[in-house]
Amino acid sequence: MPSEGFRQNTIKRCLRARGTPLLPGSCAIVFALGLSLASSSYAYEPVVNAGTNPALDAIALADNGLSTALAALPKLVQDTLDRSGVPGAAVAVVHNGVTVFAQGFGVLKMGQSEKIKPSTVFQIASISKSLTASVIAVEVTKKVVSWDDAVVRYLPGFEMKEPYVTAHASIGDFMAHRSGLPFAAGDALEDLGYDRTQIIEHMRQVPLDAFRTSYHYANFGTTIAGEAVAAAAKLPWEDLAEQALFKPLGMQSTSARHADYLAHSDRAVLHTLKDGKFQPLYDRTPDAQAPAGGVSSNVLDMAQWMKFLLANGKHNAEPLASAESLVAALSPHAFSGQPVTPSTRPSFYGYGFNVGVNANGRTSFGHSGAFLLGAATAFQILPSADLGIVVLTNGAPVGVPESINANFMDTVQFGKPLRDWYAGYHDHMMGFFSPEGDLVDEKPPVNPQPAQPLETYTGQYESPYFGPAEITLEGNKLVLAMGPAKHPMPISHWNGNTFAVMPLSENAPTGSRSSVAFTVEQDKVNGFTVNYLNQNGLAIWHKTHRQ
């Protein structure tokens, strides 16, 4: 069974992958914070599931819990923004098919006066996965695809490392993160400028974990599933999402194209966390992984979508997706958190949703999203109360949307928040900003071994997985450029034939420092390995020729 260190690292990396699978009451949060929602002081009421058999009894909702939660919500949101420093947020709540709350807080951009409104468009990051699951549920209802269809049926050129997995991995397998792809497979290629088609093609080289019995959060797993469904529907993914879901639900400000987000004047700007302050420094273009993290929307549109989910796939009383296709998405298909003790509550992942049963016996589902470059989002739905809340923010993930949702849902269910959710989330999430690379905590050698003449290291290199790289000499400094983006990264001498690079990307936060270790034979440089990219043993380049 996994160790505590493994669990902590898994939770950390799930967020870094821009899709936080943490829900109040889930194993991840209970494990991280040592908390339990169980209480014996509330009366029980019978809850009936979608069929005719009664489910386990559930704790009754608190008297006036919803009205109390709604009344407290504006102050809760503002206090959380003030406490965190996040510049702005928008929040919507739906209940019994009605949007009962929609409000903006704070500003679009730090240092400017324009206020966030309910109509303000945000990048929603990995909540996109739940929208993708909804699109697929519509296509399952139309019998265009089945959750169990093999991806290769619709993407005949698609390959994975193992032929059996290539032949059998289904749309559902990729949506549940149980295909065997390792954590964050493909994300580093996106950072280097590769497009969606190129990244999916490279998945054939990635070593796999156990098929259907392992869980590894991978944005490009979701993207592969989306692309398979788009191919079956004979539409680009962005068009399919619009035609199958966004337009029918009246989500006029929602798009899976980054250009559409940038075109909005009422747009929340990303704010990364640097030197302890939120700063509007970067744009984040997630088009390569659009089905997993590329959607932009506002809380008004997201409210329409939550109503659709709570109505079992209906919109304006007309079926858009069948209840059966949505129940499949909202059912556990993988352990997202294995218990490490008999008293540890497990957590589960469905098809694009975190799903589970709260300690009060009520099912709950939702998802979070995060860009370390400056966005954090979360929604949570309590079906037995016909209730949902979504929080979108324009600051990097420090626990704001999750804690607002948890406080709100606690009040609805128990009459008051049961703990300081922000403190718990924030303390845990600050670890997500830990820099990457083997030299982060290392001090440069006092008396390093000399390097070869710098010209020896220059030239063009090739990696089967990461593609071309070039090292040039600019003045007395070596500069490394990798992939299609060719972002120049100075590398400085560390020791012998090892140099140091300080990357900065969505997957390598500020302060990252990694070795670039060259291999030398008979005084000739013939390749190098980049540590921060080498989690799967693929970040090895071989020299093709000198400059």
Side-chain angles (χ1 to χ4, degrees), residues 274-313:
K274 185 177 182 182
D275 300 326
K277 296 180 180 180
F278 286 95
Q279 302 180 47
L281 300 179
Y282 307 111
D283 179 42
R284 168 74 169 95
T285 305
D287 283 342
Q289 54 153 291
V295 174
S296 57
S297 187
N298 60 29
V299 295
L300 300 176
D301 283 6
M302 295 297 288
Q304 292 297 100
W305 170 67
M306 290 193 297
K307 294 173 195 175
F308 154 82
L309 294 176
L310 286 164
N312 296 318

Side-chain angles (χ1 to χ4, degrees), residues 171-512:
I171 293 166
D173 290 328
F174 285 103
M175 289 299 296
H177 302 302
R178 64 182 189 190
S179 69
L181 283 174
F183 164 78
D187 283 5
L189 292 175
E190 182 188 16
D191 286 347
L192 297 181
Y194 286 93
D195 65 26
R196 191 182 311 169
T197 300
Q198 292 170 318
I199 295 170
I200 292 175
E201 194 277 335
H202 280 66
M203 290 301 99
R204 67 186 63 188
Q205 300 180 49
V206 178
L208 300 178
D209 202 347
F211 181 46
R212 290 183 179 161
T213 59
S214 62
Y215 172 91
H216 299 297
Y217 193 89
N219 290 301
F220 284 94
T222 307
T223 302
I224 288 165
E227 283 293 288
V229 177
K234 298 180 172 55
L235 287 170
W237 171 257
E238 294 78 4
D239 292 346
L240 175 61
E242 183 177 358
Q243 293 183 25
L245 191 71
F246 304 158
K247 279 189 174 180
L249 295 182
M251 301 171 69
Q252 298 180 357
S253 296
T254 303
S255 174
R257 300 178 182 87
H258 188 60
D260 291 342
Y261 161 75
L262 294 177
H264 284 281
S265 58
D266 184 13
R267 167 172 53 89
V269 176
L270 299 183
H271 292 76
T272 194
L273 186 64
K274 185 177 182 182
D275 300 326
K277 296 180 180 180
F278 286 95
Q279 302 180 47
L281 300 179
Y282 307 111
D283 179 42
R284 168 74 169 95
T285 305
D287 283 342
Q289 54 153 291
V295 174
S296 57
S297 187
N298 60 29
V299 295
L300 300 176
D301 283 6
M302 295 297 288
Q304 292 297 100
W305 170 67
M306 290 193 297
K307 294 173 195 175
F308 154 82
L309 294 176
L310 286 164
N312 296 318
K314 292 182 180 179
H315 177 62
N316 292 333
E318 293 296 324
L320 180 61
S322 68
E324 292 77 13
S325 67
L326 283 176
V327 167
L330 299 172
S331 299
H333 294 288
F335 278 103
S336 55
Q338 290 273 3
V340 294
T341 68
S343 62
T344 304
R345 191 183 308 166
S347 57
F348 304 98
Y349 204 84
Y351 294 149
F353 291 89
N354 297 288
V355 300
V357 180
N358 292 345
N360 63 357
R362 295 178 180 271
T363 59
S364 179
F365 58 90
H367 213 288
S368 295
F371 292 151
L372 291 185
L373 297 184
T377 62
F379 79 95
Q380 189 177 354
I381 287 179
L382 194 65
S384 62
D386 203 356
L387 180 68
I389 180 172
V390 60
V391 180
L392 308 179
T393 80
N394 60 351
V398 295
V400 170
E402 293 85 0
S403 64
I404 291 171
N405 288 351
N407 274 273
F408 179 83
M409 286 297 189
D410 265 7
T411 304
V412 169
Q413 295 174 92
F414 309 114
K416 63 180 181 180
L418 300 185
R419 58 193 57 82
D420 184 348
W421 280 106
Y422 178 75
Y425 273 106
H426 179 73
D427 181 66
H428 191 71
M429 290 186 179
M430 292 311 293
F432 307 150
F433 295 89
S434 298
E436 293 287 337
D438 56 331
L439 301 182
V440 168
D441 297 320
E442 298 295 321
K443 293 182 179 180
V446 176
N447 297 304
Q449 295 294 313
Q452 305 287 320
L454 294 184
E455 293 84 357
T456 308
Y457 301 100
T458 62
Q460 295 181 1
Y461 297 77
E462 187 72 26
S463 161
Y465 182 73
F466 284 100
E470 185 176 20
I471 296 179
T472 56
L473 183 61
E474 299 183 9
N476 63 347
K477 197 80 170 178
L478 293 174
V479 176
L480 169 64
M482 299 179 289
K486 298 182 178 179
H487 296 305
M489 294 191 294
I491 58 175
S492 57
H493 183 245
W494 186 264
N495 189 32
N497 291 307
T498 297
F499 287 69
V501 65
M502 299 185 70
L504 177 61
S505 69
E506 178 64 36
N507 296 285
T510 300
S512 297

